[in-house]
Amino acid sequence: MAQPGRLIAVVGPSGVGKDSLIDALVAAQPALVRVRRVITRPRDLGGEDYCAVSSAEFASMAAAGAFCLCWGAHDLRYGIPTSAVAAARDGTSVIANLSRGALAEAKAVFPAVLALNVTAAPETLARRLAARGRETPEAIARRLARSGAPVPGNVPGVTINNDGPLQETVRAALAALSLADAEQG
């Protein structure tokens, strides 16, 4: 049987650059498999590559066992397909944009979890959120208010800053993943 893989759960506040970092990490580490989330958000809003569904479709999928993890945030529902856990159990490391609030459940579901907590200064977050044009100023303020939420202490992880150029953040993340691999092995 293959050595179990793990979930690399990229967490952090809205606007911190989780999806850009995930794209860059997958490009740098082709064996890493990106998990495509299912979200109750219209398709035309841009950002990450996700499967857009209605609230009714999401509920039906959840009831049918399509998700190994699901949660709600910012008036949306998010789901991680069960195929992600199957891949990790077969030895593949998967990477996903995950809610900090879903980490404890992820730890119970996946053979191993590493939280990659991405941070940035509030000014950076506000600028990025405004630039993507999906939220009103009030919604941005609500997202910024949640930006300092802690990562649960029972999930192994590392924190990296994404205030500078993405390549610096990618280098820091790759170093953190290598260190975690060395400690795990």
Side-chain angles (χ1 to χ4, degrees), residues 4 45 53 59-60 63 94 104-105 117 134 136 144 148 169:
L45 291 181
V53 299
S60 178
V94 297
E105 186 179 356
N117 182 35
R134 288 198 312 233
T136 65
L144 290 173
T169 307

Side-chain angles (χ1 to χ4, degrees), residues 140-152:
I140 290 172
R142 283 193 303 275
R143 286 182 183 266
L144 290 173
R146 289 194 62 229
S147 68
V151 174

Side-chain angles (χ1 to χ4, degrees), residues 11-12 14 23 25 35 37 43 48 68 80 82 84-85 88 98 101 105 111 131-132 134 139-140 142 159 166 168 173:
V11 299
S14 296
D23 289 343
L25 288 172
V35 176
R37 300 189 301 176
R43 178 78 232 143
E48 72 182 282
C68 60
I80 300 294
T82 57
V85 117
L98 207 71
E105 186 179 356
R132 68 186 192 185
R134 288 198 312 233
I140 290 172
R142 283 193 303 275
T159 297
L166 181 60
E168 287 178 17

Side-chain angles (χ1 to χ4, degrees), residues 64-125:
F67 308 124
C68 60
L69 298 171
C70 58
W71 66 93
H74 309 293
D75 299 322
L76 300 172
R77 298 285 298 155
Y78 299 82
I80 300 294
T82 57
S83 59
V85 117
R89 287 185 180 142
D90 286 343
T92 300
S93 285
V94 297
I95 188 167
N97 180 335
L98 207 71
S99 167
R100 291 167 283 206
L103 283 172
E105 186 179 356
K107 188 176 177 189
V109 170
F110 283 85
V113 177
L114 175 70
L116 190 56
N117 182 35
V118 186
T119 64
E123 311 79 60
T124 302
L125 298 175

